[in-house]
Amino acid sequence: REPDATYEDGQFSQYELDGVIFGVRFPKDNQEDLRRLCQKYPYVQFFQASMSRNDFAIQITPIEWTD
């Protein structure tokens, strides 16, 4: 491990990734690319972060894909 590195490629099994949250400014056209990369993870669910209209907060909502 290199704790001071800019990033770290960690290994994990296909059953350990269960969710991906797209940030408020994550480009919509990249969501499909990331979704394709996650196809080997059977339990993964996708969520979208958005700014709350009423509070100083971020809301996380599930994404329902229509194939």
Side-chain angles (χ1 to χ4, degrees):
R1 255 192 97 201
E2 296 181 41
D4 296 327
T6 305
Y7 68 90
E8 185 175 352
D9 290 333
Q11 300 294 315
F12 52 90
S13 87
Q14 66 180 12
Y15 300 104
E16 292 182 274
L17 181 64
D18 61 1
V20 174
I21 299 173
F22 296 116
V24 172
R25 291 190 252 166
F26 189 81
K28 298 281 184 206
D29 53 339
N30 291 350
Q31 287 184 1
E32 186 60 36
D33 294 336
L34 192 55
R35 181 181 175 210
R36 267 194 296 282
L37 288 172
C38 292
Q39 285 180 339
K40 67 180 183 177
Y41 302 99
Y43 300 114
V44 71
Q45 295 178 308
F46 296 92
F47 302 87
Q48 178 64 55
S50 60
M51 300 298 291
S52 173
R53 294 176 190 215
N54 303 321
D55 301 309
F56 184 69
I58 293 177
Q59 296 175 326
I60 307 295
T61 54
I63 296 175
E64 300 296 330
W65 299 104
T66 54
D67 291 327

